[in-house]
Amino acid sequence: MSRSLFSAVSGLRNHQAWLDVIGNNIANANTPGYKSSSVVFQDILSQTLSSGSAPSTNLGGVNPMQVGLGVTMGTISPSFLQGSLQTTNRNTDVAIQGDGFFAVAQGNSRLYTRSGAFTLDANGDLVEGATGYKVQGAAGAIRISQGQESGATPTANALLKGNLDFSVPTASTYTSTFSVRDSVGAAHTLSITFTKAAASQWNWAVTASDASISAITTGTGSITFNSSGAISAGASQSIGVDYVAGAGVADPQAILLNFGAAGNTTPITGLASASTVTLGSQDGLPTGSLQSFAIGSDGTITGFYSNGTNKALGTMQLAVFNNPAGLLRVGQNHFQESAASGVANTGNPGTGGRGSLTPGSLEQSNVDLAQEFTSMMLAQTGFQANARTIQTSDQMLQELVNMRR
């Protein structure tokens, strides 16, 4: 009689634990990145009442008789099925599409999470909004300091465009001014004067009135046009800009003047129309400050600067495990590496079986409420059935005691 009581008690205890798991799943139905768990039961060692026997010449075999001693939980296994993605449009929110975990640092300790609800702290570090743990990238913590500077770029190429009037008489001149930048991004104005030397040839000379420029070297040349008004000679030439002593910039500075060579999509022409030569473009840039940033699906964080440039600020990485079900839950949406999970294999998103990132989104919980409520009814029914077994066993014991009366 005691066997049924103890078996039923184990049933009550384990169905209560199952209900605890279900309740936790339902409680976290709206927790970003949460992964639901499921319970698998197994029976406890059975008591053998009689052993079996093998068949003989005269008799057949006899099966063993055993009575089970109850139930226990075999495993509580997390499900890492993909949760749905919810768009938030926050540039620091990131969702994982596929396998992998974000790595975050708590001092020297590494934890892992599927929740990408990140933000920037006062130092510009990318951190978890709820805990302040630093998100880890290829080079450790990722820092995105708003207003950080992007270095200047000196002018190396200046592309000129427009027309030199074929119809004007020899010795006619036309002057245009254009701006270039030095190694620290400061602008300097140069003048280029074209002088018609022949029917199809113009000579040019570059001068500077900028007080910080001491000389222009190789600052003269000529352009020859063919009968169609296209450049046939002198399509480009490099000039040198020398700065005065103590200017604090790279000196000398070589600048290629491109009048119609490769790369210039709007070359100078020599047609019978007004002279209009001007600067088309130049590749020098002033110093810029960080204005915004974006996270790519490959984890690259790109910064956009006020001078029109952009550059990579860092790379978010993902960790994968041989057995993610072996990870330890340590609260706050975090998992911890364990002997069962194996060591973290960290790398760029989209490589080595790692998923890709979806910026501006969060992965929602993968809890299936319909399944959880169905499991809840099963757990309740199992609990009630085991309670009824205890009640029935108690009644039978009462009958046994009453036989003495």
Side-chain angles (χ1 to χ4, degrees), residues 250-280:
D251 179 57
Q253 179 179 352
I255 302 174
L256 179 66
L257 300 183
N258 188 332
F259 304 109
N264 190 342
T265 58
T266 55
I268 293 176
T269 57
L271 303 174
S273 61
S275 294
T276 58
V277 173
T278 187
L279 180 69

Side-chain angles (χ1 to χ4, degrees), residues 373-395:
F373 282 118
T374 301
S375 298
M376 185 187 298
M377 288 187 289
L378 292 174
Q380 181 183 13
T381 301
F383 190 92
Q384 290 174 335
N386 281 278
R388 182 59 59 85
T389 299
I390 292 175
Q391 183 181 25
T392 302
S393 297
D394 178 63
Q395 291 173 348

